[in-house]
Amino acid sequence: MSYFNKFLKRTTQKEPKASNASLNTTIAVVIEELKIQLKKYHIHYELSSKLKVFEKASSEKKVDTFPNLYLEIEDFLTLQNNSSFEKSRFRQNLKENYTLLTKKDECHVIFIEDNHTQKVLLSQLFLKDVLLKSRDLLGNFSNPFLVEAEDLLVNSSLSFETITQQKAASILKELFEYSNLIQQKIQDSLGLNAMLSIYNNAYNKHFNNYYLLENFTITVNLVPEELLVTENANLPSKGQLHRLLKTQISSLENINSKLSKEVFQKSQIQEELENNEKLYSAVIHNSLDANVIFNIDGVIIRSNKKAAEFINTNEKQINFYKLLPEDFSARLKTIIDGFSLKTIAALERELFEFEVTKNDETKYYNLKISPIYINNKMLFFAVIRDITKDIRNMIRIEEARVIAEKSAKAKTTFLSNMSHEIRTPLNVILGLSELFNRKDFSGNEKEYENIEAIRFSTENLLMIVNDILDFSKIEAGKLNVQKVDFNFTELISNLKKGFKIKAEEKGLDFSMNITNSIPKYIVGDQYRLSQILNNLIGNALKFTQKGYINVTITAKELADKTIQLYFTVEDSGYGIPKDSLNTIFESFYQTYHSEEKPKGTGLGLSITKELVSLLGGDLSVKSEVNIGTTFSFDLNYKVSDLSDLELQSTQDVNHNLRNKRILVAEDNKLNQLFIKQLLKKWDAQTTIVSNGQEAVEIVKEEDFDLILMDIQMPVLDGLEATSAIRALEKEKKDIPIVACSADVFPESRQKAEEAGVNYYITKPISAKSINEILYLLTTSN
């Protein structure tokens, strides 16, 4: 009986039961649904009468008689010819839609799908009725056993969790013994006849409610033997008992069969476990890592082949901690000693590292520890991995990285110096040639053409220098993009003027078509866009001997004051072979043609592709040999808020510079000549010094409105001089300083800004760039 008591106490639940009023409403709705099904058929008199009696019954009576009426209607509907009624599906729908039915044990048992569970619950409900009828006669129970039985079966809701066949057989056996005890206790209190009467009445009620359930006959096992020999219409006949016995025998045979299968399966599982253990042992034994299992005291319980080698190299110590370096071992032991189940996750996440030096050779190891709780004992599984090769590789990689960084720095320094050395004379040539415009030139036409040829050649040389420097910056990932307001219409107009002259010299038709929907002023990198178009149009001009070059620019409005510009550069030149289309964007690649020698550095298209990508676009090409080539790309720009009036003001800066005191710190005599003539043209008062020290000293003595500061100078360079000036008293330290440098690398610009310059311009210095910066400085004062 103890087994059943444990089961019953575990599965019964003391919880609020559904009120009869709410349950009665639910039952009425369910019966109405059944009546809808019944309307399809002609029902017999007996069922019709039961429905009428049910409708007139009290709420309590309806709850008591619901199981019987429901099962009879269900049985009637199932037996009809061509019936579409599906009992199991209907029960499932009711169970899901009317959950209150599951709050009443007597109703819920109908909807239990598992046969074994339903048998147990039917038996419990029968004994519950027995106890209720006994209490009606005895009043409150005085017998402790009956008090406990009442508390378990009457005062608590039963559990409806699914029960396995094997467990159900054990519980039913216990219920049979439990019923015998109940019979005995009632007989002791009321006598044999009263006990038989109670069981008979309980059985009759149980029969009326559930006789249509297939598992109902299980209740017969709980009826006293004295009742089985009496004439009771509701008790099963000998034939029914025989069938019940056969059912139970069949059930026992099924249980026996399942037990046999379970025994066989367990033997298979055991065999599989043994095989897995062998496989696991083989894997662990041959692992390249040392695996050790040790206890809380550090005693090694088990280890693999690799661990054995590790142990041998450490004088065959059997204590795990003694295998490790002393300092590390002490720290690890402290962690293990303080270990608890609460800190298991933290320990499993920890990856320890230690090193062992022996015979002047240092080896490095990783250590991972996982706690294992077996047979109430805490063990620890340690994996030791030799990471010496990885560490040495990391050291080599770090050394290579340092060397590479030094090499890159040396390369940058070389390019910076080369840039300075080449751009310094270019600055003078271009600057002086810009001073001779056609309007002010007093010489003859031939002399002006010579000056223009010098300027044109210098610009080409500057373009080659820029290509090399841009290529280097792209390789280093240090090419910056500016976002400033610029006149897009003016940029295209200047490109058109320049290339139209060159195209006409070769007898080519040249056109640049731009849609009217493109705003005049946009925000972006004017220099990079100009560089892209110069490279693409220049290439088209280079490889087209006859025909045309067409540049088309269209626009598409996007959200948030953004436009998308689509550029195409189309020519009727030599064309590019199909097998070369995938390589023309590679560095130093040049297309060869029998009628044209290769020109340039082979960097133009490579740089152009990178620049378009850097600006957020994609450059593509289509070409056919002897037909022509088309390059296309698209870029997004913000629409500028600038007006014509604001930009036009920069053209009148010379009026604002009249009588302004400007200090020029420049060590190159030719650069001094160019800047002096340029500022003289704008009526500015110019003072020139040859190094940074002179610049600092003269600023202390005199007042200036602006300083143009070269970066590379003797004694004190431009950055040192700027820092010294910024350290002077307030009136002196706030003088605007414009850095002028041939160094185009971002690091140099950043250093200049940190030193305190206001603007940074690169050589060769154009009149236009100085013009714009001077305008910004003078208008901000």
Side-chain angles (χ1 to χ4, degrees), residues 114-350:
D114 181 73
N115 288 331
H116 309 298
T117 306
Q118 192 179 63
K119 286 178 182 180
V120 170
L121 292 170
L122 281 169
S123 301
Q124 289 177 279
L125 286 174
F126 172 71
L127 291 178
K128 177 181 178 180
D129 282 337
V130 168
L131 290 170
L132 286 171
K133 293 188 181 300
S134 299
R135 193 176 61 184
D136 289 343
L137 291 176
L138 290 171
N140 293 331
F141 293 128
S142 58
N143 184 283
F145 175 81
L146 293 177
V147 171
E148 181 184 6
E150 179 187 31
D151 187 55
L152 293 173
L153 292 169
V154 177
N155 298 331
S156 301
S157 296
L158 301 177
S159 170
F160 289 82
E161 66 180 66
T162 302
I163 303 171
T164 63
Q165 183 179 3
Q166 184 178 352
K167 185 179 286 187
S170 299
I171 294 171
L172 289 171
K173 181 181 177 182
E174 298 292 344
L175 280 170
F176 173 74
E177 296 176 5
Y178 204 69
S179 177
N180 288 341
L181 285 171
I182 291 174
Q183 293 172 29
Q184 185 62 50
K185 299 301 179 182
I186 295 174
Q187 184 175 335
D188 291 345
S189 299
L190 297 173
L192 176 61
N193 291 333
M195 181 273 291
L196 293 176
S197 176
I198 288 170
Y199 263 85
N200 187 58
N201 291 336
Y203 180 81
N204 286 335
K205 178 185 176 183
H206 209 61
F207 177 85
N208 288 332
N209 280 342
Y210 305 115
Y211 76 95
L212 288 173
L213 290 177
E214 294 177 358
N215 297 312
F216 167 75
T217 53
I218 195 67
T219 313
V220 176
N221 293 329
L222 305 178
V223 175
E225 292 182 4
E226 291 88 346
L227 282 181
L228 294 176
V229 299
T230 62
E231 292 184 3
N232 186 328
N234 291 335
L235 289 172
S237 63
K238 290 182 178 180
Q240 289 174 321
L241 288 174
H242 181 68
R243 285 194 297 274
L244 176 62
L245 184 60
K246 285 181 66 177
T247 302
Q248 291 178 337
I249 292 172
S250 175
S251 176
L252 289 172
E253 288 176 346
N254 288 336
I255 292 172
N256 184 59
S257 175
K258 287 188 176 181
L259 287 173
S260 299
K261 286 181 181 178
E262 286 183 12
V263 170
F264 177 70
Q265 288 172 352
K266 285 182 178 179
S267 66
Q268 285 186 315
I269 292 171
Q270 181 64 31
E271 184 178 351
E272 188 174 343
L273 286 173
E274 291 175 358
N275 291 335
N276 287 340
E277 173 64 20
K278 292 177 182 177
L279 178 62
Y280 172 77
S281 297
V283 171
I284 294 297
H285 185 68
N286 295 294
S287 172
L288 296 178
D289 297 326
N291 297 321
V292 177
I293 297 176
F294 62 95
N295 64 15
I296 194 75
D297 298 318
V299 176
I300 295 176
I301 309 297
R302 188 174 177 181
S303 62
N304 69 346
K305 183 179 179 181
K306 192 70 176 178
E309 294 176 5
F310 191 85
I311 293 169
N312 286 338
T313 60
N314 291 272
E315 302 174 0
K316 297 185 178 181
Q317 296 287 352
I318 62 168
N319 190 288
F320 179 70
Y321 296 120
K322 293 183 179 179
L323 303 179
L324 308 172
E326 187 174 346
D327 292 344
F328 176 72
S329 175
R331 183 166 69 91
L332 182 64
K333 191 174 187 309
T334 302
I335 294 173
I336 297 294
D337 289 344
F339 171 79
S340 69
L341 291 175
K342 292 181 180 179
T343 61
I344 187 169
L347 182 59
E348 287 180 335
R349 286 194 301 267
E350 188 80 30

Side-chain angles (χ1 to χ4, degrees), residues 664 671-680 708 765:
V664 178
N671 279 341
Q672 292 177 1
L673 174 66
F674 159 60
I675 295 175
K676 186 175 182 179
Q677 290 189 38
L678 179 64
L679 295 177
K680 182 179 179 182
L708 298 180
I765 301 170

Side-chain angles (χ1 to χ4, degrees), residues 17 37 59 69 113 145 154 204 217 262 271 273 276 278 342 356 384 513 552 575 616 677 707 727 742 747 755 779:
K17 299 182 180 180
Q37 297 286 336
S59 298
L69 182 60
E113 297 176 6
F145 175 81
V154 177
N204 286 335
T217 53
E262 286 183 12
E271 184 178 351
L273 286 173
N276 287 340
K278 292 177 182 177
K342 292 181 180 179
V356 177
I384 303 173
N513 302 309
T552 306
Q677 290 189 38
I707 301 174
E747 297 92 333
T779 54

Side-chain angles (χ1 to χ4, degrees), residues 106 124 127 206 313 346 483 555 628 740 757-758:
E106 287 78 2
Q124 289 177 279
L127 291 178
H206 209 61
T313 60
K483 289 188 178 181
C740 307
V757 303
N758 298 89

Side-chain angles (χ1 to χ4, degrees), residues 359-412:
N359 298 328
D360 296 328
E361 182 184 10
T362 300
K363 288 195 171 185
Y364 303 89
Y365 299 92
N366 270 347
L367 172 62
K368 181 78 174 172
I369 297 178
S370 300
I372 309 171
Y373 196 68
I374 300 177
N375 296 330
N376 297 323
K377 292 182 180 179
M378 183 59 72
L379 301 177
F380 299 90
F381 178 63
V383 178
I384 303 173
R385 174 169 294 179
D386 187 341
I387 58 169
T388 304
K389 288 184 179 179
D390 296 335
I391 295 296
R392 288 173 181 169
N393 286 336
M394 287 173 61
I395 292 172
R396 292 190 192 100
I397 291 171
E398 179 61 20
E399 290 173 348
R401 185 188 66 79
V402 171
I403 292 170
E405 285 183 353
K406 287 181 179 178
S407 176
K409 188 175 182 180
K411 177 182 175 183
T412 301

Side-chain angles (χ1 to χ4, degrees), residues 336-566:
I336 297 294
D337 289 344
F339 171 79
S340 69
L341 291 175
K342 292 181 180 179
T343 61
I344 187 169
L347 182 59
E348 287 180 335
R349 286 194 301 267
E350 188 80 30
L351 183 65
F352 302 97
E353 291 185 3
F354 65 93
E355 57 186 66
V356 177
T357 302
K358 190 173 183 180
N359 298 328
D360 296 328
E361 182 184 10
T362 300
K363 288 195 171 185
Y364 303 89
Y365 299 92
N366 270 347
L367 172 62
K368 181 78 174 172
I369 297 178
S370 300
I372 309 171
Y373 196 68
I374 300 177
N375 296 330
N376 297 323
K377 292 182 180 179
M378 183 59 72
L379 301 177
F380 299 90
F381 178 63
V383 178
I384 303 173
R385 174 169 294 179
D386 187 341
I387 58 169
T388 304
K389 288 184 179 179
D390 296 335
I391 295 296
R392 288 173 181 169
N393 286 336
M394 287 173 61
I395 292 172
R396 292 190 192 100
I397 291 171
E398 179 61 20
E399 290 173 348
R401 185 188 66 79
V402 171
I403 292 170
E405 285 183 353
K406 287 181 179 178
S407 176
K409 188 175 182 180
K411 177 182 175 183
T412 301
T413 303
F414 166 75
L415 289 172
S416 177
N417 292 335
M418 184 197 76
S419 169
H420 182 270
E421 294 303 322
I422 296 177
R423 283 171 177 266
T424 297
L426 286 178
N427 176 51
V428 178
I429 297 170
L430 276 177
L432 292 174
S433 63
E434 279 187 352
L435 293 176
F436 294 101
N437 57 52
R438 185 177 293 276
K439 179 181 174 183
D440 300 328
F441 187 67
S442 58
N444 58 45
E445 185 68 22
K446 184 65 178 177
E447 289 173 339
Y448 183 77
E449 287 178 0
N450 291 339
I451 292 172
E452 281 294 288
I454 292 171
R455 186 176 64 81
F456 180 76
S457 298
T458 307
E459 286 178 346
N460 282 339
L461 179 58
L462 178 61
M463 188 175 295
I464 293 172
V465 173
N466 286 339
D467 279 351
I468 295 171
L469 293 174
D470 283 345
F471 176 71
S472 176
K473 286 190 282 185
I474 288 170
E475 273 192 326
K478 295 179 179 179
L479 192 66
N480 293 329
V481 175
Q482 295 180 334
K483 289 188 178 181
V484 295
D485 300 273
F486 69 94
N487 189 330
F488 178 76
T489 305
E490 182 184 47
L491 170 66
I492 299 303
S493 176
N494 290 338
L495 286 171
K496 184 176 181 180
K497 289 175 185 177
F499 281 108
K500 189 172 182 64
I501 295 171
K502 297 175 184 178
E504 287 175 350
E505 289 174 355
K506 292 187 71 173
L508 301 174
D509 292 330
F510 181 81
S511 64
M512 289 190 77
N513 302 309
I514 176 172
T515 60
N516 294 329
S517 60
I518 301 178
K520 188 173 184 179
Y521 301 111
I522 59 178
V523 180
D525 195 321
Q526 175 183 2
Y527 172 71
R528 296 303 174 192
L529 177 58
S530 176
Q531 190 177 359
I532 291 167
L533 292 173
N534 265 299
N535 282 347
L536 294 178
I537 299 171
N539 260 10
L541 192 64
K542 187 190 305 180
F543 295 107
T544 304
Q545 298 303 316
K546 58 182 179 179
Y548 62 87
I549 297 171
N550 293 331
V551 180
T552 306
I553 308 170
T554 58
K556 176 183 176 182
E557 284 192 25
L558 303 177
D560 194 25
K561 293 186 69 176
T562 303
I563 59 168
Q564 183 180 67
L565 301 184
Y566 186 73

